[in-house]
């Protein structure tokens, strides 16, 4: 019997992160700028294959800024997958715009390109002003950008990529975050690379990042007396936290490998069981499996998702239902949703299993045994 709780995706930090953090501390750059911030931005840009990056206090701040930069505001609509974390849709509300939700596909769990195309066509016919699409690379899996980039171009809407969960993933050989006009990453404590809290806004367009940097720095004009022409935000990342992020980023490849390894082992033991279906890896990309997720068919497996989750919880193992779709959230209940049944079924039966890069083989095997036990108990 365990004595400490096994978490879904806890921070995985080590001596290198600590060393860089102390270097930042000793340099006295205790500020939301400094040499580690500059270096972290360059290093993330290299990993993501973009030219420009802005380190931020959160991924949510990146989503907010990207909408402001594209002039999204009251009267505008923004298409968002319904299966996501609330931060994606909240950012749309921050700028006074209206989220419109779109269902996902069973094959990828990401936004359905056909429904997206259809919804953009419907919106144009009914004179609804859709200004942007925010795609979400869910649980470490990229959306189908081979199709989505073309669809957004044809409908003349800007594509913003919420890659908060997908640092290290690729689609057609190109990194997550590099497909949109802007891409957003999160370094929250549960993400694959963490700064305890933080984010990154990335783009191929220097002017967008320059403008974002200005707004994120309280919109201070270059004048000694603090001149302001715009409403600004205090959104920049601390130099101390950027130092931690640099250490974490050095081992990104190993972090991805370890999460993929857990996914492979979970599948080897559980995939053949009747009623268990894992989130598929889309053929066009390489998923990080930030979280390993599966659905549980109560009739075929013999017990339901909640029973399995509670069985694990009673033994100090954290597992969580798949994101509750936004169109089912009370706060967004008045919003339009194209489809929604697929996301709802994934929510009803989907479970995320412990997937941390520092989870041991023995811990993972314990999770597997308990899932099997939940069936027979
Ligand atoms: C974590 C997450 C965010 C928010 O990132 P923060 O850094 O916590 O603000 C946004 N979107 C998705 C899909 C996420 O998983």
């Amino acid at each position: 019997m365990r004595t400490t709780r096994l978490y879904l995706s806890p921070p995985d930090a080590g001596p290198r992160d600590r060393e860089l953090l102390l270097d930042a501390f000793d340099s006295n750059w205790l500020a939301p700028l400094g040499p580690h911030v500059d270096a972290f931005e360059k290093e993330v840009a290299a990993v993501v294959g973009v030219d420009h990056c802005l380190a931020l206090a959160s991924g949510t701040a990146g989503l907010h800024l990207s909408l402001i930069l594209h002039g999204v505001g009251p009267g505008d609509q923004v298409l968002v997958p319904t299966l996501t974390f609330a931060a994606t849709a909240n950012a749309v509300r921050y700028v006074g715009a209206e989220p419109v939700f779109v269902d996902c596909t069973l094959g990828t769990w990401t936004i359905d390109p056909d429904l997206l195309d259809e919804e953009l066509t419907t919106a144009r016919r009914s004179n609804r002003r859709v200004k942007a699409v925010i795609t979400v690379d869910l649980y470490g899996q990229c959306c189908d950008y081979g199709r989505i980039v073309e669809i957004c171009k044809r409908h003349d809407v800007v594509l913003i990529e919420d890659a908060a969960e997908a640092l290290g993933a690729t689609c057609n050989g190109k990194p997550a975050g590099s497909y949109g006009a802007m891409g957003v990453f999160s370094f929250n404590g549960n993400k694959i690379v963490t700064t305890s809290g933080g984010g990154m806004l990335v783009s191929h367009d220097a002017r967008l990042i320059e403008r974002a940097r200005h707004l994120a720095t309280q919109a201070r004009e270059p004048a000694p007396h603090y001149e302001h022409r715009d409403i600004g935000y205090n959104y920049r990342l601390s130099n101390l936290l950027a130092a931690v992020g640099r250490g974490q980023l050095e081992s990104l490849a190993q972090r991805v490998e370890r999460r993929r390894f857990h996914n492979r082992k979970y599948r080897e033991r559980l995939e053949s069981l009747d009623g268990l279906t894992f989130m598929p890896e889309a053929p066009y990309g390489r998923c990080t499996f930030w979280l390993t997720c599966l659905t549980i068919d109560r009739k075929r497996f013999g017990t339901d998702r909640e029973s399995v989750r509670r069985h694990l919880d009673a033994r100090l193992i954290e597992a969580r239902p798949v994101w509750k779709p936004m169109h089912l959230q009370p706060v967004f209940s008045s919003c339009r949703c194209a489809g929604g049944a697929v996301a709802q079924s994934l929510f009803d039966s989907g479970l995320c299993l412990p997937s941390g890069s520092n989870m041991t083989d023995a811990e993972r095997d314990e999770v597997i045994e308990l899932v099997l036990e939940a069936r027979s108990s």
Side-chain angles (χ1 to χ4, degrees), residues 58-60 63 84-85 87-88 136 162 164-165 186-188 191 198 323:
S58 71
T60 307
L63 291 167
T84 184
F85 177 54
T88 321
V136 178
D162 180 349
E165 302 177 359
S186 167
F187 308 121
N188 189 18
K191 299 299 196 316
W323 297 125

Side-chain angles (χ1 to χ4, degrees), residues 7 80 112 155 164 180 218 222 258 264 279 286 296 313 337:
Y7 290 100
V80 174
D112 183 334
H155 289 276
Q218 305 279 30
R258 185 70 186 158
R264 194 155 71 241
M279 180 182 89
R286 188 167 191 269
I296 300 172
D313 189 57
C337 185

Side-chain angles (χ1 to χ4, degrees), residues 198-216:
M200 192 72 79
L201 187 58
V202 312
S203 179
H204 299 290
D205 186 337
R207 282 168 317 168
L208 282 176
I209 293 295
E210 204 178 300
R211 179 92 187 129
R213 197 180 302 279
H214 173 68
L215 293 178

